[in-house]
Amino acid sequence: MKSKLLLALLPAVCLYWQTNTIHAQQSAVLSPASTGSVVGVLKDPSGAVIHGAHVELRSTIGDFHQTRISDHLGHFSFVSVPAGDYQLTVTAPGFANQILRPLTVVAGAEVPANLSLKIAVVTASVQVDGQDASSIAASALRGQASSHNSADALADAPGVSLHGNGELATIPFLHGLGDERTKIVVDGMTISSACPNHMNPTLSYVAPAQAAQVTVLAGITPVSLGGDSLGGTISAESPAPAFAEHGNKLREDGTFTGYYRSNGENWGGSLKEGIASEHFSLGYVGSFTTTDDYSDGAGHKVTSTYAQSTDHALTLAAQSGRNLFLATGSFHHTPFEGFVNAYMDLVHNDATSLNLRYRRTLASGSLDARFYWQNTTHEMNFLQDKIAIDGAGASMPMNTHGRDLGYLVRYESALSPRHTFRAGNELYRFRLDDWWPPVAGMAPMMGPDTFININNGRRTRLGTYAEVFSHWNPRWSTLIGLRNDTVWSDAGNVQGYSMMYATDAAAFNAENHARTDANFDLTALARYDANEHVAVEFGYARKNRSPNLYERYTWSTSMMAASMIGWFGDGNVYYGNVALKPETGNLVNGTLLLHGQAPKPWEVKLTPHLNYIQDYIDVDVASMSMMGLPLLRFANHDARIGGGDLSGFATLWDSDAAGTGRLSAVGAWLHGTRTDSNTPLYQMMPLNLRLAFDEEIKGLSAGIGSEMVDRKSRLDPNRMELLTPGYALFNFHAAYKSKYVQGGFRVDNLFNRLYELPLGGNNIDIYSATGNMTPVTGRGQSVSINLTATF
């Protein structure tokens, strides 16, 4: 393992030496007395900062040419710039290009270049581009309209691993911390999973066509973007509203995307339509997807992997002067979704939501307020593949009703040209009822009464924060933030199907269910731009997460009932613990960024991280069942997670005649340990690396890619985690893009390799049929096509 890491770090060390040599040569020519600097912040028309924008500074008479990427605070800077006249060009996905000219740099002076970008027509296209990522720790990715799962866009982000759930319910992990340990927001909305198996996670409620940009902050997160989480923050944002230019009556734009994937007969499409005047905008996004069971590399059908979903979103926006108002109403409908790694399937999930936003740009800052509400009805039972295994008439209805309600208010003000102050307050309330109707003829195990799993569960979080971003000079900047989240949780009394559950129910009902957690988060982050080739970011964060309702308030030790609890896809049986304490993470990490400029830009980014987690919510083995499965109770134990992310790209050639050739890579290594028993933590992604080569010339593009994953051999003994062998997959893709039409062709798992998913869980359908527990196998060779038309 150590040799693998040394080999992975060798290119970064060589490049670091090279950039220091370049910088030393340049320093001999340019003295500080003859140079200045250019600094700025990029914002959209509403005043929100824009990260991941490409900023180019070019001399109007000489050869000087440098590029930067705006960070997660919208900031960019150029240092050691020779005095003279320049042109500054800014490009960002979803925004019109902007040019600032002339820009005069004076020796010994700092030139401000703060810009507000105008909205452009946003096309739903597939793009995961390292150059569109934030310059240090964050990654900014565009949604994939030709996909059926919004989480797919995260696959190439450093620090991210994807936990296989249903075809529409993939759960992202950040540095080994997933599900509700990672804060996931959709247009500012926090949404909790209203399901004991988490079949409806947050990202399942945003269609890929609606997610214009997905931002990933793995590890240290500003307190303004965190709260009640450990792993980091993932934020999915809809397209910003587009308005007509001043003097124009109306603007109309639209996009249609259709796609098809051969393995699993997955097909679907989306429609985006907008009409706007100078002050009002109306936009609609609708999408549909359906898929059947896929086959693995050996040609075996992987059952319970079918799904279907429909999404609609209507947004009304108005702007006047410094004010922007948005109102979005959404409806999500999933009539069915199979889960190969669970005992149950999703047979109905409807969610209706309303999201209101008001933003005002102030003289020296901004005020941003949101109010949101979502109502979710969810049902589980057996679909056709499980009925074929369990027998005709098999049924076990399970119903949940979730209600999400919240607001957030954020204020930002420039204290001085170098210091920006941010403060905010947010309230989030989640209410949950979870009940299982009786099944005729199945008493006393499943009748005659209704099983009350969670009765009027309530979880309310009130968060307040303040942070200061300071840009001390062109090289140094800091971010210091403090946050408090108070979490109140409670639930009512319960009952079982019959008296056979009475002992557990009575014990739970006798407990005091109300809990109050007072959590304090701290972020301290510093960044140093050594020169135009080297930047370093390092810091410390203390983060907290309170237990969710299922971790605290599920109560039955019956193997049948407890097997319905758990979002790990492993077939194990779980029950809750009212006495659980919040998890507290102590994270240190740093990021080294090495990058070169035109004519052949390149970048290497290395992020080591170490997180010591007090009261990590793991499990204790309460007993063993007759089936050989452990009965697991959630319990607090300390843990440690360390690792590193390595990503980068290199432009091999770039010319009008030959086009552009580019090589990119993303890799990660994780090591998680429960410290009291010195045993591996559960579901840690093994060493993995993605490589891609892409070439583009005059609208045509093509490329090859590979995904290499080491064997997962560090296994949690309490959960009976299964080993998965290492594997390597290859893909080929090609695309054509013109002004109004773009199309793509792709072959995944090019050589039809049979492999087992390290985070895919166990195949419960096979276990139910044969009694053998095996990991879920991945999709075999698949051919995909997509077409997007803009009108």
Side-chain angles (χ1 to χ4, degrees):
M1 183 64 69
K2 291 183 179 179
S3 62
K4 295 178 183 177
L5 290 176
L6 290 173
L7 288 173
L9 293 177
L10 183 60
V13 174
C14 295
L15 289 171
Y16 180 70
W17 175 84
Q18 181 184 22
T19 55
N20 278 342
T21 303
I22 295 172
H23 180 56
Q25 293 171 349
Q26 291 176 336
S27 299
V29 179
L30 298 173
S31 67
S34 63
T35 63
S37 59
V38 178
V39 299
V41 176
L42 304 179
K43 296 186 176 183
D44 67 16
S46 70
V49 297
I50 301 173
H51 56 268
H54 186 271
V55 186
E56 177 187 80
L57 184 67
R58 183 184 294 272
S59 173
T60 57
I61 57 175
D63 296 330
F64 186 93
H65 175 216
Q66 290 186 6
T67 59
R68 295 288 186 270
I69 306 297
S70 64
D71 64 19
H72 59 278
L73 300 171
H75 170 262
F76 66 90
S77 65
F78 297 88
V79 297
S80 300
V81 179
D85 292 331
Y86 293 85
Q87 172 179 298
L88 187 77
T89 304
V90 180
T91 59
F95 296 91
N97 294 350
Q98 186 157 336
I99 298 175
L100 181 60
R101 181 180 55 198
L103 181 67
T104 301
V105 175
V106 179
E110 179 180 291
V111 181
N114 300 323
L115 296 174
S116 178
L117 304 189
K118 296 180 180 180
I119 302 297
V121 177
V122 180
T123 60
S125 61
V126 178
Q127 180 177 343
V128 177
D129 193 335
Q131 277 191 286
D132 290 324
S134 184
S135 62
I136 297 291
S139 301
L141 310 106
R142 299 187 68 180
Q144 300 184 358
S146 57
S147 170
H148 68 288
N149 190 331
S150 292
D152 288 348
L154 307 177
D156 290 330
V160 176
S161 52
L162 299 179
H163 168 60
N165 208 17
E167 284 294 289
L168 309 176
T170 301
I171 297 175
F173 279 51
L174 299 183
H175 292 166
L177 298 165
D179 205 12
E180 294 186 350
R181 287 191 173 108
T182 291
K183 184 170 185 177
I184 303 177
V185 294
V186 177
D187 289 328
M189 297 174 58
T190 299
I191 303 170
S192 294
S193 184
C195 173
N197 294 163
H198 287 196
M199 292 181 175
N200 47 11
T202 305
L203 286 180
S204 68
Y205 291 110
V206 56
Q210 192 177 349
Q213 180 166 285
V214 181
T215 303
V216 179
L217 282 162
I220 294 179
T221 305
V223 295
S224 58
L225 301 176
D228 201 28
S229 61
L230 297 179
T233 298
I234 297 173
S235 176
E237 292 287 337
S238 298
F243 296 91
E245 296 287 345
H246 178 69
N248 295 342
K249 292 184 177 181
L250 289 176
R251 65 169 288 172
E252 289 185 77
D253 53 75
T255 302
F256 171 78
T257 296
Y259 59 88
Y260 171 78
R261 182 171 59 185
S262 62
N263 192 338
E265 295 293 324
N266 171 216
W267 61 274
S270 63
L271 174 67
K272 300 172 66 176
E273 177 69 25
I275 183 169
S277 66
E278 183 180 349
H279 297 289
F280 295 94
S281 173
L282 182 65
Y284 166 78
V285 180
S287 63
F288 170 81
T289 188
T290 185
T291 183
D292 205 344
D293 290 335
Y294 70 78
S295 299
D296 62 22
H300 301 139
K301 183 170 74 170
V302 181
T303 57
S304 297
T305 55
Y306 38 60
Q308 189 176 104
S309 184
T310 304
D311 289 272
H312 303 277
L314 187 67
T315 299
L316 174 65
Q319 67 173 2
S320 176
R322 296 181 174 183
N323 302 295
L324 175 67
F325 174 78
L326 293 91
T328 300
S330 302
F331 177 70
H332 168 89
H333 173 59
T334 300
F336 63 88
E337 183 177 4
F339 285 78
V340 64
N341 57 4
Y343 293 103
M344 307 299 295
D345 296 315
L346 183 155
V347 298
H348 169 89
N349 193 93
D350 280 356
T352 304
S353 66
L354 177 66
N355 191 346
L356 306 177
R357 182 185 184 188
Y358 170 73
R359 185 175 183 92
R360 179 175 175 80
T361 303
L362 307 174
S364 60
S366 63
L367 177 67
D368 195 347
R370 293 181 187 260
F371 172 83
Y372 59 89
W373 164 86
Q374 178 161 306
N375 184 76
T376 302
T377 58
H378 173 79
E379 298 176 16
M380 292 193 298
N381 210 321
F382 303 126
L383 289 173
Q384 60 192 30
D385 286 348
K386 286 185 172 59
I387 291 175
I389 296 170
D390 297 333
S395 177
M396 184 182 173
M398 302 172 64
N399 302 332
T400 54
H401 182 201
R403 287 86 77 198
D404 302 272
L405 181 71
Y407 74 78
L408 55 91
V409 179
R410 295 173 177 169
Y411 171 73
E412 177 179 318
S413 178
L415 301 178
S416 70
R418 297 187 182 276
H419 305 287
T420 301
F421 173 74
R422 300 184 183 91
N425 174 259
E426 59 182 287
L427 175 73
Y428 171 61
R429 180 177 175 87
F430 176 56
R431 300 190 66 174
L432 176 69
D433 286 291
D434 187 325
W435 72 100
W436 310 344
V439 179
M442 293 297 292
M445 180 169 286
M446 291 191 288
D449 301 321
T450 297
F451 187 101
I452 306 299
N453 192 33
I454 291 183
N455 178 24
N456 192 24
R458 298 164 322 267
R459 190 179 190 273
T460 302
R461 175 173 57 86
L462 179 65
T464 305
Y465 67 84
E467 66 184 15
V468 176
F469 171 71
S470 300
H471 182 62
W472 300 99
N473 55 51
R475 298 190 187 278
W476 279 101
S477 59
T478 59
L479 178 69
I480 305 294
L482 181 65
R483 180 184 183 105
N484 165 246
D485 287 279
T486 302
V487 181
W488 299 271
S489 62
D490 202 355
N493 289 341
V494 298
Q495 69 175 33
Y497 283 117
S498 65
M499 289 301 296
M500 69 177 291
Y501 300 89
T503 301
D504 285 345
F508 177 83
N509 293 340
E511 293 189 77
N512 178 17
H513 304 155
R515 291 291 185 271
T516 300
D517 304 324
N519 302 325
F520 290 89
D521 290 6
L522 170 68
T523 290
L525 195 63
R527 173 176 170 175
Y528 176 65
D529 289 277
N531 53 60
E532 61 270 26
H533 296 288
V534 182
V536 180
E537 185 177 83
F538 53 92
Y540 164 81
R542 170 190 166 94
K543 298 182 178 185
N544 296 270
R545 181 191 77 97
S546 289
N548 64 41
L549 295 178
Y550 284 107
E551 288 168 329
R552 267 192 172 145
Y553 298 124
T554 49
W555 54 273
S556 178
T557 63
S558 162
M559 299 301 290
M560 187 280 296
S563 67
M564 300 297 108
I565 309 302
W567 40 95
F568 310 100
D570 56 11
N572 288 321
V573 290
Y574 297 84
Y575 71 106
N577 185 348
V578 176
L580 284 176
K581 293 180 288 187
E583 302 173 306
T584 300
N586 296 274
L587 171 67
V588 290
N589 75 239
T591 297
L592 171 66
L593 173 67
L594 311 173
H595 58 120
Q597 311 302 329
K600 295 181 180 181
W602 58 268
E603 176 183 289
V604 174
K605 185 162 60 174
L606 175 65
T607 302
H609 55 88
L610 178 64
N611 197 351
Y612 175 70
I613 305 171
Q614 299 167 281
D615 297 317
Y616 180 88
I617 298 177
D618 197 48
V619 296
D620 288 337
V621 177
S623 64
M624 295 295 292
S625 72
M626 296 178 61
M627 301 180 293
L629 295 177
L631 174 63
L632 304 171
R633 190 186 192 194
F634 294 114
N636 292 112
H637 295 276
D638 292 349
R640 182 179 61 248
I641 301 176
D645 305 326
L646 178 66
S647 62
F649 69 88
T651 304
L652 305 180
W653 64 83
D654 189 359
S655 67
D656 293 336
T660 302
R662 175 173 161 153
L663 183 68
S664 60
V666 176
W669 173 77
L670 273 177
H671 191 278
T673 302
R674 195 171 114 174
T675 57
D676 63 337
S677 59
N678 199 32
T679 54
L681 287 184
Y682 196 41
Q683 294 181 332
M684 292 285 113
M685 185 70 180
L687 180 70
N688 61 93
L689 176 67
R690 290 172 180 259
L691 296 174
F693 169 75
D694 295 277
E695 183 177 9
E696 182 175 356
I697 180 170
K698 297 180 181 179
L700 291 171
S701 62
I704 56 174
S706 65
E707 175 187 1
M708 292 163 281
V709 179
D710 200 2
R711 70 196 298 259
K712 185 180 69 174
S713 56
R714 298 193 77 248
L715 310 174
D716 183 347
N718 288 339
R719 318 260 192 136
M720 301 177 67
E721 189 172 11
L722 300 179
L723 182 146
T724 56
Y727 60 87
L729 306 178
F730 295 87
N731 66 74
F732 168 80
H733 55 273
Y736 171 76
K737 182 178 181 180
S738 66
K739 184 176 181 180
Y740 297 107
V741 177
Q742 67 181 54
F745 170 83
R746 183 181 180 93
V747 182
D748 288 299
N749 197 353
L750 189 63
F751 302 109
N752 202 28
R753 174 76 181 272
L754 175 65
Y755 65 102
E756 295 172 338
L757 297 165
L759 300 184
N762 298 333
N763 193 316
I764 304 304
D765 283 7
I766 290 180
Y767 173 71
S768 298
T770 67
N772 297 321
M773 195 73 81
T774 60
V776 174
T777 51
R779 191 184 302 270
Q781 186 187 85
S782 185
V783 178
S784 304
I785 57 173
N786 65 80
L787 178 68
T788 297
T790 302
F791 52 89

